[in-house]
């Protein structure tokens, strides 16, 4: 099918890019700002506390990325059902999200309660870091089931292009978290001074509040697409469940594997010492903050491509993918310059000793040059190919890039080459370069385009 009116399709693309991308950008940006504030506040307690919370949060990182894989894989169906205006299909997708999200969360809570010290010990051999990290993890993990339910609502709202209310709720919850962090970490206004445990309690309260508000958005709205009774949510049959899992499970495996390898890379950097572990935590948070804009573009691209495929219009879907790549390239240049410019001012915020501050500046400057290859790889995999239902290809590429290249290079750089932290960050980018080289011809071939509903 030819594009009926190219200028009209172009206007529609950019309108929806703003409509979907800006709320997603705002959600991620506010969340990353809180993470940056967290590292600042906890960093004031000391390098050991910051390293401990950074290590403990690797569990949440892996958990949320696995959920992202599950829910974004299922969003291929939700977006195409939305394109076809099939409410019953959307309700079943939401029900599957609820069921699998809660089961996954409860499993993680049980495991982390039992093995908290062992988990933190994977990242640091410092007894103080392990003690701080375990106490934080055993509190904050109780927030995981509430996060899973909130994510299920949020991701499905993205798929049906309704993002305003979830964005407001997310911002309010993050604000509550920030305020409670100040009160409970430092013991302000008569509250007890709880340190890292205070940060965990603040997160738990904020996540419960967020879930209650998300649920209210859906069920207080007269005609919300996600509003359904238990029979409608869980009335899916085995055939549909396994058909959805055939598409979603490769994404779950891909994202979970990626998260584990990122945590292993974090652990490899931790071999360079507690200071390196703390600096890695800050560098990753700052990089994620700047990359939030790409998450907005990627989510918008995926939802728009999915909607067009649901409408049986693959030519427009391909054109949307091409435009998303162009937008990403422009943003890469802007974000890299911002990162280079802000590296020294960011380092000055932290009250570290001079050697650690110097390491932080150099690491932030090195990380600036990783934004380009990392985000190009992201837009192809998450913003285009998955939306087209090509999840098996994405899984294969990601497993090679992460396990065969990135993790291997991280440990090789630290244990064999004995390079500094900034150089190690640069060397692990071999995985992202591999993604780019393989993804460009695959995009042009159009083999990633599949209509699954």
């Amino acid at each position: 099918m030819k594009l009926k009116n190219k200028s009209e399709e172009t206007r529609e693309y950019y309108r929806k890019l703003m409509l979907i991308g800006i709320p997603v950008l705002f959600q991620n940006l506010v969340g990353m700002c809180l993470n940056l504030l967290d590292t600042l506040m906890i960093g004031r307690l000391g390098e050991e506390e910051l390293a401990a919370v950074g290590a403990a949060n690797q569990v949440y990182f892996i958990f949320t990325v696995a959920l992202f894989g599950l829910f974004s894989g299922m969003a291929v169906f939700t977006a195409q059902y939305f394109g076809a205006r099939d409410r019953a299909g959307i309700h079943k997708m939401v029900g599957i999200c609820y069921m699998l999200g809660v089961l996954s969360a409860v499993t993680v809570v049980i495991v982390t309660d039992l093995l908290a010290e062992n988990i933190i010990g994977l990242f640091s051999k410092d007894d103080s870091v392990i003690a701080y990290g375990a106490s934080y993890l055993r509190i904050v993990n109780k927030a995981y089931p509430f996060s899973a339910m909130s994510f299920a609502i949020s991701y499905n709202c993205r798929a049906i292009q309704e993002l305003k209310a979830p964005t407001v709720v997310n911002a309010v919850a993050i604000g509550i978290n920030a305020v409670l962090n100040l009160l409970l970490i430092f013991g302000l206004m008569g509250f007890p001074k709880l340190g890292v445990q205070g940060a965990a309690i603040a997160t738990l309260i904020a996540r419960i509040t967020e879930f209650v508000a998300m649920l209210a958005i859906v069920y207080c709205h007269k005609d919300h697409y996600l509003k359904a009774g238990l029979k409608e949510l869980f009335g899916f049959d085995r055939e549909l469940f396994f058909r959805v899992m055939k598409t979603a499970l490769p994404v779950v495996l891909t994202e979970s594997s990626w998260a584990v390898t990122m945590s292993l890379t974090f652990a490899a950097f931790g071999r360079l010492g507690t200071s390196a572990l703390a600096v890695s935590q800050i560098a990753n948070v700052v990089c994620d903050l700047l990359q939030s804009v790409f998450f907005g573009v990627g989510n918008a691209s995926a939802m728009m491509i999915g909607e067009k495929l649901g409408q049986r219009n693959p030519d427009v879907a391909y054109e949307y993918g091409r435009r998303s790549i162009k937008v990403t390239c422009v943003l890469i240049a802007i974000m890299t310059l911002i990162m280079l410019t802000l590296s020294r001012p960011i380092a000055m915020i932290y009250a570290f000793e001079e050697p650690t501050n110097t390491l932080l500046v150099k690491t932030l400057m090195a990380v600036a040059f990783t934004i380009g290859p990392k985000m190009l790889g992201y837009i192809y995999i998450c913003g285009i190919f998955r939306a087209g239902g090509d999840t098996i290809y994405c899984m294969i590429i990601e497993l090679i890039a992460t396990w065969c290249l990135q993790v291997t290079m991280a440990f090789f750089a630290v244990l064999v080459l004995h390079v500094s932290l900034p150089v190690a960050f640069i060397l692990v980018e071999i995985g992202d370069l591999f993604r780019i080289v393989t993804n460009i011809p695959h995009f042009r071939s159009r083999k990633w385009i599949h209509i699954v509903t």
Side-chain angles (χ1 to χ4, degrees), residues 22-38 166-178 207 210 285 288-289 292-293:
I22 288 180
V24 173
L25 163 63
F26 182 74
Q27 285 180 333
N28 283 284
L29 192 61
V30 174
M32 295 306 169
C33 283
L34 176 63
N35 288 342
L36 186 60
L37 184 61
D38 276 351
T167 300
V168 172
V169 169
N170 186 250
V172 171
I174 286 169
I176 292 172
N177 198 343
R207 293 302 182 190
E210 181 182 40
V285 169
D288 287 344
L289 178 64
S292 294
V293 65

Side-chain angles (χ1 to χ4, degrees), residues 246-268:
K246 183 178 179 180
T247 298
L249 284 180
V251 184
V252 176
L253 179 59
T254 301
E255 292 299 328
S256 301
S257 177
W258 176 81
V260 170
T261 55
M262 291 303 100
S263 293
L264 287 174
T265 302
F266 188 70

Side-chain angles (χ1 to χ4, degrees), residues 87 91 153 156-157 160 162 165-166 214 216-228:
R87 284 179 178 266
H91 293 158
I153 296 171
N156 280 286
C157 280
I160 63 172
E162 292 186 14
M214 285 285 195
I217 285 173
V218 173
Y219 285 94
C220 291
H221 192 287
K222 184 177 180 180
D223 196 35
H224 200 287
Y225 258 93
L226 306 188
K227 185 177 182 179

